[in-house]
Amino acid sequence: MIEMKEDQIEFLLSKAIDQVKTNGEIQLVSFTKQVNRIDPLVFFEAAKMLEKNRIFWSSTADDFCVVGVGKAYDIVANKSRYNETEKEWNKLLQEAIIHNPYEVAGTGLLALGGMSFDPKRERSSLWENFQPSRFTIPEFLLTKNNNTTYFTINIQVTKNDHPKQMLRACKQAEKKLFNTFIKIPQGVGIKSKEEKNPEAWKHSVRLAKEKIEKNEAKKIVLARELRLELKNKAEISAIIDKLIKTQATSYIFAFENGNDCFIGATPERLVKLEKNQLLSTCLAGTAPRGNTKEEDTRIGISLLDDEKNREEHDFVVKMIKRAINDYCTDIDIPGKPVIYPLKNLQHLFTPVIAKLKDKYSIFDIVRELHPTPALGGTPTEESLAFIREHEQLDRGWYGAPIGWLDSNQNSEFAVAIRSGLIKGDKASLFAGCGVVKDSDIEAEYEETNIKFLPMLSVLGG
């Protein structure tokens, strides 16, 4: 591992402390260095020794992974969450002392987090540890980008801090985090399963169909919950390990807050920004994988030809185009979807490429895109009103935007599906489906069962 430049960090810390004494404002110091390769999952597991919250985010297809440990700063917003978060983030960027000679995506000052699906929905006790919007700047950050590894320390200083003491504490923490002898624990098994109100959920699907048949909506997405009792307290590292091995084309994520962890493997990108280059994804329309190559191909062709799924997919394509039209130029959307295969499922997929106009940000796009018709329905307000009245659960962060943004003008958000909330030896899994005029209630129910599979399988079900 490359040695920390102690005198350089000590100088930055002293400078920050002097600034705090002068202006009394919050002062963040961020220092990034390149380090020898370490398995991000080993780093994540080692972080347990620091007894701090952990965050994991990876995109195997992009050879990108970040692991956050602890909290240097939290951006929490309740009402105007997009505006409040952007305002506070921009203020931090202006005032922070950032030493990052690499300026690689995912390094430097970086915030990771998410928000609830519907801020108008009253929060239940299930999601008591997850605010309507929360983005954390980790105290320690490991970034793996294109086979190169970086380590970032983010520190919030006060006027009474001492640089040498702070530096000593950082070195002690770093030594624990880079303990390569750490072993990933074994997975857990499922003791029991309980579907939460399946008949009531089917009734809500029936009511949604009636509303659509009256032309009061075109599509309504309804989610349901599967409660699990595990044989032992869940080992988050073991679950992530299995998700990485079984869901290679998805975003793997885990957000710890207190004793709870929201975790999953979502295939659905909401939006990615590299400077002003925007990439979004239309992912709607679902079918299972086949047992043989021939069966798999046959199911894929059937999905491409299926009127119900193509209509559902087209809702998303049109919405994304409409949502970004005022914010972007050079919008490029293919005319037809292709098949996007996962381990357990296959989806209809259409990429969207565009250029973001100078005066707009990632938050403008996320605000316009969420919720997509794939997670809410269309028209948006009518479908959300129906969901609030008839859905049997508080979605919390399920189905909502989760992601990261850095001080190098890079950011990425995904839609938090194929996920679950772990609470010790208990887990709640979530899955939904889009109800349209031709929906078959039992078929929609079976589709949600298929969508439970990615999380069920890694938990031992």
Side-chain angles (χ1 to χ4, degrees), residues 96-207:
I97 297 174
I98 303 172
H99 177 82
N100 180 12
Y102 313 100
E103 296 189 356
V104 170
T107 63
L109 208 62
L110 180 132
L112 299 118
M115 52 190 65
S116 60
F117 177 82
D118 183 0
K120 294 182 180 180
R121 181 77 180 245
E122 185 177 350
R123 188 165 47 152
S124 69
S125 60
L126 184 69
W127 293 95
E128 60 189 354
N129 286 325
F130 287 81
Q131 289 99 333
S133 177
R134 175 178 175 175
F135 288 84
T136 298
I137 297 172
E139 195 175 350
F140 306 103
L141 179 73
L142 185 80
T143 305
K144 179 178 176 288
N145 191 324
N146 288 325
N147 216 29
T148 305
T149 307
Y150 306 88
F151 180 58
T152 299
I153 298 173
N154 299 306
I155 306 173
Q156 184 180 153
V157 303
T158 69
K159 62 182 180 181
N160 297 319
D161 284 328
H162 297 280
K164 290 187 183 296
Q165 291 179 3
M166 298 176 81
L167 185 57
R168 192 179 305 119
C170 288
K171 287 182 67 178
Q172 291 172 351
E174 183 178 358
K175 186 176 180 180
K176 291 179 180 179
L177 290 169
F178 283 87
N179 181 353
T180 56
F181 296 102
I182 293 289
K183 300 295 183 184
I184 305 302
Q186 297 297 308
V188 297
I190 295 173
K191 187 175 180 181
S192 64
K193 293 188 288 186
E194 177 194 0
E195 293 186 69
K196 300 297 290 184
N197 304 317
E199 293 307 316
W201 183 84
K202 291 179 183 179
H203 178 65
S204 67
V205 174
R206 189 174 295 109
L207 292 177

Side-chain angles (χ1 to χ4, degrees), residues 28-279:
L28 284 174
V29 177
S30 178
F31 183 92
T32 301
K33 63 178 181 177
Q34 188 176 329
V35 295
N36 293 336
R37 269 186 277 176
I38 182 174
D39 184 343
L41 198 54
V42 170
F43 184 92
F44 182 89
E45 178 63 21
K48 281 204 301 190
M49 292 187 290
L50 299 184
E51 297 183 344
K52 298 175 184 285
N53 285 339
R54 301 169 296 173
I55 300 174
F56 187 95
W57 176 281
S58 77
S59 173
T60 305
D62 299 322
D63 192 20
F64 179 81
C65 181
V66 289
V67 180
V69 180
K71 178 190 73 173
Y73 192 84
D74 262 349
I75 302 174
V76 177
N78 293 304
K79 294 181 179 178
S80 301
R81 52 190 187 174
Y82 300 107
N83 292 337
E84 288 179 22
T85 303
E86 181 175 13
K87 183 178 178 180
E88 194 159 356
W89 171 247
N90 287 336
K91 187 173 185 291
L92 289 173
L93 289 183
Q94 290 173 3
E95 298 175 352
I97 297 174
I98 303 172
H99 177 82
N100 180 12
Y102 313 100
E103 296 189 356
V104 170
T107 63
L109 208 62
L110 180 132
L112 299 118
M115 52 190 65
S116 60
F117 177 82
D118 183 0
K120 294 182 180 180
R121 181 77 180 245
E122 185 177 350
R123 188 165 47 152
S124 69
S125 60
L126 184 69
W127 293 95
E128 60 189 354
N129 286 325
F130 287 81
Q131 289 99 333
S133 177
R134 175 178 175 175
F135 288 84
T136 298
I137 297 172
E139 195 175 350
F140 306 103
L141 179 73
L142 185 80
T143 305
K144 179 178 176 288
N145 191 324
N146 288 325
N147 216 29
T148 305
T149 307
Y150 306 88
F151 180 58
T152 299
I153 298 173
N154 299 306
I155 306 173
Q156 184 180 153
V157 303
T158 69
K159 62 182 180 181
N160 297 319
D161 284 328
H162 297 280
K164 290 187 183 296
Q165 291 179 3
M166 298 176 81
L167 185 57
R168 192 179 305 119
C170 288
K171 287 182 67 178
Q172 291 172 351
E174 183 178 358
K175 186 176 180 180
K176 291 179 180 179
L177 290 169
F178 283 87
N179 181 353
T180 56
F181 296 102
I182 293 289
K183 300 295 183 184
I184 305 302
Q186 297 297 308
V188 297
I190 295 173
K191 187 175 180 181
S192 64
K193 293 188 288 186
E194 177 194 0
E195 293 186 69
K196 300 297 290 184
N197 304 317
E199 293 307 316
W201 183 84
K202 291 179 183 179
H203 178 65
S204 67
V205 174
R206 189 174 295 109
L207 292 177
K209 281 195 66 176
E210 291 174 2
K211 186 177 182 70
I212 293 165
E213 286 166 359
K214 294 176 184 176
N215 291 319
E216 295 174 0
K218 292 183 178 180
K219 176 184 175 183
I220 298 171
V221 180
L222 292 170
R224 66 188 188 96
E225 179 184 358
L226 180 64
R227 290 272 177 99
L228 306 178
E229 184 177 357
L230 308 175
K231 292 180 180 178
N232 301 293
K233 181 180 178 181
E235 293 285 356
I236 303 302
S237 297
I239 300 172
I240 294 173
D241 189 32
K242 288 189 175 183
L243 287 172
I244 291 171
K245 291 173 179 174
T246 59
Q247 305 295 326
T249 54
S250 293
Y251 295 95
I252 312 301
F253 64 88
F255 293 90
E256 280 187 337
N257 280 321
N259 295 318
D260 299 349
C261 184
F262 181 50
I263 185 169
T266 175
E268 187 167 349
R269 171 190 287 127
L270 189 64
V271 61
K272 179 179 183 178
L273 271 182
E274 294 178 338
K275 308 301 182 186
N276 66 346
Q277 297 301 307
L278 179 146
L279 178 61

Side-chain angles (χ1 to χ4, degrees), residues 215-359:
N215 291 319
E216 295 174 0
K218 292 183 178 180
K219 176 184 175 183
I220 298 171
V221 180
L222 292 170
R224 66 188 188 96
E225 179 184 358
L226 180 64
R227 290 272 177 99
L228 306 178
E229 184 177 357
L230 308 175
K231 292 180 180 178
N232 301 293
K233 181 180 178 181
E235 293 285 356
I236 303 302
S237 297
I239 300 172
I240 294 173
D241 189 32
K242 288 189 175 183
L243 287 172
I244 291 171
K245 291 173 179 174
T246 59
Q247 305 295 326
T249 54
S250 293
Y251 295 95
I252 312 301
F253 64 88
F255 293 90
E256 280 187 337
N257 280 321
N259 295 318
D260 299 349
C261 184
F262 181 50
I263 185 169
T266 175
E268 187 167 349
R269 171 190 287 127
L270 189 64
V271 61
K272 179 179 183 178
L273 271 182
E274 294 178 338
K275 308 301 182 186
N276 66 346
Q277 297 301 307
L278 179 146
L279 178 61
S280 187
T281 297
C282 308
L283 199 72
T286 306
R289 297 298 301 271
N291 294 319
T292 64
K293 186 176 180 179
E294 291 74 17
E295 184 186 20
D296 200 47
T297 300
R298 188 167 62 252
I299 293 173
I301 292 172
S302 178
L303 179 60
L304 284 167
D305 293 337
D306 184 77
E307 185 177 345
K308 182 259 184 185
N309 280 288
R310 284 294 292 267
E311 181 183 20
E312 189 176 340
H313 186 81
D314 195 43
F315 284 146
V316 180
V317 174
K318 289 179 179 177
M319 186 283 294
I320 291 180
K321 183 177 182 180
R322 187 169 56 250
I324 69 173
N325 191 61
D326 291 339
Y327 299 88
C328 298
T329 61
D330 305 331
I331 299 173
D332 182 18
I333 305 177
K336 294 181 180 180
V338 296
I339 293 295
Y340 190 82
L342 302 170
K343 180 177 175 62
N344 311 97
L345 306 165
Q346 48 189 322
H347 299 285
L348 296 177
F349 168 83
T350 299
V352 177
I353 300 171
K355 183 177 180 181
L356 186 69
K357 295 178 182 177
D358 290 341
K359 60 181 179 179

